[in-house]
Amino acid sequence: MARLTPENEILAREIIGRYPRPKSALIPLLHLAQEQDGYVTDDAMAHIAELVGVTSAEVLGTCSFYEMFKLHPCGRYVINVCTNIACMLCGGDELLHHAEETLGITAGATTPDGLFTIEAVECIAACTEAPALQVNYRYRYKVDNDAFDSLVDDLRAGRLNDEIPPHGTLARVRQHIPDDKRAFIVSPEEAAAAGEPAWMHAHETPSVEGGA
Amino acid sequence: MITDVEPIITARFDQPDAHTIDGYERTGGYQALRQVLASWSPARVAEEIKDASLLGRGGAGFPAGVKWGFCPPGVWPRYLVVNGDESEPGTYKDRLLLERDPHQLIEGVLIASYAVGAAQAFIYIRGEMALAQERMAQALNDAYARGYIGKNILGSAFSIDVVMAWGAGAYIVGEETALIESLEGNRGMPRLKPPFFPAAKGLYMQPTIVNNVETLSNVPWIVRHGAAKFTALGAEASKGTRVFAVSGHVNKPGVYEVEFGVTTFRDIIMDPAYAGGIRDGNQLKCFIPGGASAPWFFEEHLDLPLEKGTVDRAGSMLGSGAIVVMDHTTDAVKACMAVVRFFAHESCGKCTPCREGTTWLERILRRILDGYGRPSDLDLLMDVADNISPGIAWPPKQTTICPLGPSAVSPLSSALGRFRGEFEAYIARAEAARAEQPVVLAGAHAHAHDHGHDHDHDHDHGGHH
């Protein structure tokens, strides 16, 4: 259960192939696991460890450092209410309080139906739009109590399904480097052996090849 | 002084399709790259950027061109890393640059990589910025498809892969050596400098240039218009324009690109063309001039220009271009707590003075706010602060590997230095309450509260400490 699916394993290998060292892919791969299951499962971490060539403990070591990775199931919608300085000055704490009252849970908890998790978070870089929140990392600006209530209604009714995917999905566009376009992704050792890049002396003297 | 300059890096912000490759190409996009590959040597690019005195826009304000020159000669491969982990409280500009004009950054990355001879470039975007990641992934795919990235770019000898990486929620990763650790797949804890100055020993222990999103977004314009036109804008060490986010108790919070070095805090906070003054006709109490790490400024600092050296000498910093304004209704103790708590939360736990010190600062402030403060607490706060940042001076000294710990001291010394009476009032109320209650009960209450519900501890501290 909950190892990466065959499709995701293919994606995982592609992601690993974009880095000079496989371990550099750990964070994107943990995101992929969280996208698949809504949180990061032990089995997924074991699978990632195999793919990257490190121990499961090393994967957990990285995973547990970063707040976005959830090691236990959380709500389909994770609502992050900013309580840092700019939002605090403009009603962030009051918005958090309203969210807790409305959903009947305290920050950090998940509603019994598994639909909502509330988190009180630090600055989300929307300071001029305070108080701000994110639902699964999608922004809502200048949120008052009414706006929060209709947001919750819309989420419950599925009216925002197109805009807000379930927790775990970040960008819905993935980077893809076609094989015929790829330049030079190799290990640092191989790159060292190759030495100075080919273009470093381009256009240095009028007779240099370079350019075209 | 408010000057009427054309925006450099936010010029396409009103263009709805600026994030698409067609929208970018239509407005001069990738012309700077073409120009460079057609006739400029890498050394000439580096020289031009150095001549432009382009200061880093991430926080430290170090000249980018000088940084590029720090790679030890003859050591290969080199890497280029873009720091898009914008998380300094109040800061809100790199996200907009990523979302609205991703190709401008990509073009800057390509030109910079050409200049320094990078084997590969990475654009590291903050984990919480889903739209920025989406736009960047699309932009990279399109730029590959049109031959701007990859093998023999535009038919030249220049080849490079640009890869998008993204984080997962950790402010400390904005520190360049922590970002490199994160990019290597590790816990994002800073490395000791020296020896690990990234330009010498960075990603995979190879020479690595780490530049901020806004910094590199300036590069295409400088190439196209020349360093002289860039340095014609600004004053003293601060050239070109800069993007500032003005938030808090102002009438028109917003993100404004202004001429660097000459525009004043009063202009950007009070002028109707910018933030438009304090809300509800209220009085200014204080403002944070450059992100949560910066010591606070007050009424008497309003006429200072947004110029790096001037602000440094006045005892704070422009940092990441984040101005947070507080009016006279603000509770200084609560505001101080919001910022100190942030650093306590985000301490990576590597250095004891920061890990323990910021945690204790938060706990002491928490008990003051909750009505359990003690008269000795204010000295205790400063004593703990002094252990993180000896002398509590500016620029700060530090007992830690990175500046995160000392950053928590800035708001504390500012708030306590200027608004000590507000802290004392909290403590006086606590004293009065204690006088009416048996001592045992008060102690029991305090104890119960320490373990009670607490919104500020919703995150798993275990992951960080």
Side-chain angles (χ1 to χ4, degrees):
Chain A
M1 283 291 286
R3 285 168 64 89
L4 296 178
T5 62
E7 299 76 37
N8 281 339
E9 185 175 328
I10 292 168
L11 279 175
R13 290 187 193 281
E14 186 187 337
I15 292 168
I16 292 168
R18 291 206 290 262
Y19 293 95
R21 292 209 197 286
K23 196 184 179 190
S24 282
L26 264 193
I27 291 174
L29 296 188
L30 287 163
H31 277 301
L32 184 64
Q34 183 151 282
E35 179 171 344
Q36 177 182 293
D37 299 314
Y39 71 107
V40 182
T41 68
D42 288 347
D43 287 346
M45 281 191 279
H47 194 179
I48 289 170
E50 289 166 25
L51 292 170
V52 171
V54 298
T55 65
S56 298
E58 284 175 277
V59 177
L60 176 61
T62 295
C63 183
S64 61
F65 185 81
Y66 299 91
E67 279 177 37
M68 288 172 70
F69 294 133
K70 311 302 178 195
L71 291 165
H72 303 284
C74 58
R76 178 184 173 89
Y77 299 112
V78 176
I79 302 179
N80 291 350
V81 182
C82 180
T83 57
N84 200 270
I85 183 81
C87 284
M88 185 276 260
L89 292 171
C90 299
D93 289 338
E94 291 76 6
L95 176 62
L96 175 65
H97 182 71
H98 176 76
E100 292 179 323
E101 294 271 300
T102 304
L103 294 175
I105 50 172
T106 54
T110 301
T111 53
D113 60 6
L115 212 48
F116 298 104
T117 298
I118 304 177
E119 294 184 341
V121 299
E122 301 295 356
C123 188
I124 53 176
C127 311
T128 66
E129 312 301 324
L133 61 75
Q134 290 185 316
V135 185
N136 294 349
Y137 306 104
R138 270 75 184 170
Y139 287 95
R140 285 294 180 278
Y141 295 148
K142 294 190 165 81
V143 183
D144 59 19
N145 290 354
D146 289 344
F148 183 85
D149 294 347
S150 33
L151 171 67
V152 167
D153 286 346
D154 288 345
L155 289 168
R156 272 193 214 283
R159 284 191 289 270
L160 296 173
N161 285 356
D162 288 344
E163 186 197 344
I164 302 178
H167 177 256
T169 299
L170 292 172
R172 286 163 300 180
V173 176
R174 295 186 202 280
Q175 184 177 7
H176 174 68
I177 303 175
D179 282 341
D180 63 326
K181 301 275 185 185
R182 191 181 160 104
F184 191 66
I185 303 175
V186 295
S187 71
E189 292 75 18
E190 289 168 281
E196 187 177 67
W199 67 86
M200 284 314 281
H201 299 286
H203 306 298
E204 266 184 0
T205 62
S207 60
V208 160
E209 80 291 12
Chain B
M1 179 175 66
I2 293 173
T3 56
D4 190 23
V5 297
E6 292 285 313
I8 290 178
I9 52 173
T10 63
R12 292 185 191 82
F13 274 22
D14 293 329
Q15 181 190 329
D17 68 344
H19 63 280
T20 66
I21 196 157
D22 289 336
Y24 187 64
E25 283 182 331
R26 204 177 57 240
T27 48
Y30 291 112
Q31 290 304 319
L33 179 69
R34 287 180 189 280
Q35 185 181 328
V36 161
L37 294 184
S39 58
W40 288 29
S41 68
R44 180 175 168 198
V45 177
E47 207 53 40
E48 197 76 22
I49 299 303
K50 201 192 261 181
D51 289 347
S53 311
L54 172 62
L55 300 187
R57 281 6 181 191
F62 195 80
V66 176
K67 204 181 207 181
W68 292 4
F70 283 162
C71 289
V75 183
W76 310 100
R78 295 171 179 172
Y79 296 104
L80 186 110
V81 175
V82 182
N83 186 344
D85 192 55
E86 178 175 66
S87 342
E88 177 78 14
T91 313
Y92 174 33
K93 44 139 186 127
D94 294 340
R95 176 162 78 83
L96 293 181
L97 289 164
L98 289 163
E99 289 175 356
R100 298 191 190 177
D101 207 343
H103 288 284
Q104 177 175 250
L105 174 62
I106 292 171
E107 190 174 7
V109 169
L110 291 166
I111 294 167
S113 298
Y114 176 80
V116 302
Q120 201 176 333
F122 300 90
I123 300 177
Y124 188 109
I125 301 177
R126 183 175 170 187
E128 288 91 336
M129 298 177 177
L131 179 62
Q133 294 156 21
E134 208 159 281
R135 292 264 168 94
M136 183 53 70
Q138 186 67 53
L140 288 169
N141 290 347
D142 293 342
Y144 265 101
R146 296 217 179 156
Y148 295 121
I149 316 179
K151 205 181 292 178
N152 297 114
I153 295 169
L154 301 173
S156 74
F158 177 46
S159 301
I160 194 161
D161 287 298
V162 182
V163 167
M164 182 178 88
W166 59 109
Y171 164 77
I172 187 59
V173 169
E175 196 280 336
E176 59 183 2
T177 61
L179 191 150
I180 286 167
E181 283 288 324
S182 185
L183 201 47
E184 291 185 7
N186 301 325
R187 297 168 75 82
M189 291 177 162
R191 295 173 178 172
L192 194 61
K193 297 193 265 190
F196 301 114
F197 287 109
K201 284 185 183 301
L203 187 64
Y204 315 122
M205 294 298 148
Q206 293 298 126
T208 303
I209 298 300
V210 184
N211 282 146
N212 166 264
V213 167
E214 184 186 347
T215 311
L216 289 176
S217 293
N218 275 285
V219 167
W221 192 96
I222 293 171
V223 166
R224 288 183 71 195
H225 296 87
K229 205 164 170 199
F230 192 80
T231 55
L233 300 172
E236 299 183 50
S238 305
K239 302 300 188 186
T241 63
R242 243 195 111 163
V243 181
F244 290 90
V246 190
S247 63
H249 296 152
V250 289
N251 287 316
K252 275 174 54 197
V255 178
Y256 304 105
E257 182 173 359
V258 299
E259 185 173 354
F260 203 7
V262 296
T263 311
T264 66
F265 286 107
R266 187 183 302 281
D267 295 333
I268 202 165
I269 294 172
M270 301 298 186
D271 194 274
Y274 300 112
I278 312 299
R279 67 166 186 188
D280 304 332
N282 286 351
Q283 295 301 306
L284 174 74
K285 178 167 186 156
C286 56
F287 60 99
I288 302 175
S293 304
W296 298 358
F297 270 176
F298 309 97
E299 176 83 30
E300 66 266 28
H301 297 106
L302 275 176
D303 291 313
L304 291 177
L306 298 162
E307 198 282 311
K308 176 176 160 48
T310 310
V311 172
D312 287 349
R313 285 190 295 276
S316 191
M317 62 173 180
L318 286 175
S320 50
I323 300 171
V324 185
V325 178
M326 301 178 231
D327 73 11
H328 75 272
T329 68
T330 308
D331 182 329
V333 187
K334 278 189 182 155
C336 175
M337 174 62 166
V339 184
V340 170
R341 183 198 65 203
F342 171 79
F343 291 110
H345 183 191
E346 299 295 343
S347 173
C348 79
K350 187 166 183 170
C351 308
T352 310
C354 172
R355 181 187 65 241
E356 301 302 316
T358 57
T359 303
W360 276 105
L361 292 179
E362 181 193 353
R363 293 181 73 161
I364 297 163
L365 283 168
R366 167 59 65 199
R367 79 174 174 225
I368 292 172
L369 278 165
D370 284 349
Y372 297 97
R374 304 163 192 171
S376 57
D377 276 351
L378 301 187
D379 288 341
L380 183 57
L381 282 170
M382 292 314 274
D383 187 47
V384 173
D386 187 71
N387 278 309
I388 304 171
S389 184
I392 314 180
W394 190 263
K397 294 195 174 80
Q398 59 195 51
T399 54
T400 48
I401 287 173
C402 89
L404 188 147
S407 295
V409 173
S410 296
L412 183 75
S413 60
S414 296
L416 207 46
R418 186 77 164 211
F419 307 113
R420 193 180 176 94
E422 292 185 42
F423 289 78
E424 288 170 345
Y426 268 98
I427 291 168
R429 285 197 292 275
E431 287 282 274
R434 267 195 288 273
E436 287 170 17
Q437 278 180 348
V439 171
V440 175
L441 251 183
H445 275 213
H447 183 76
H449 197 93
D450 271 353
H451 300 281
H453 70 285
D454 186 346
H455 295 154
D456 304 314
H457 288 84
D458 59 305
H459 287 117
D460 176 15
H461 268 56
H464 289 263
H465 294 295

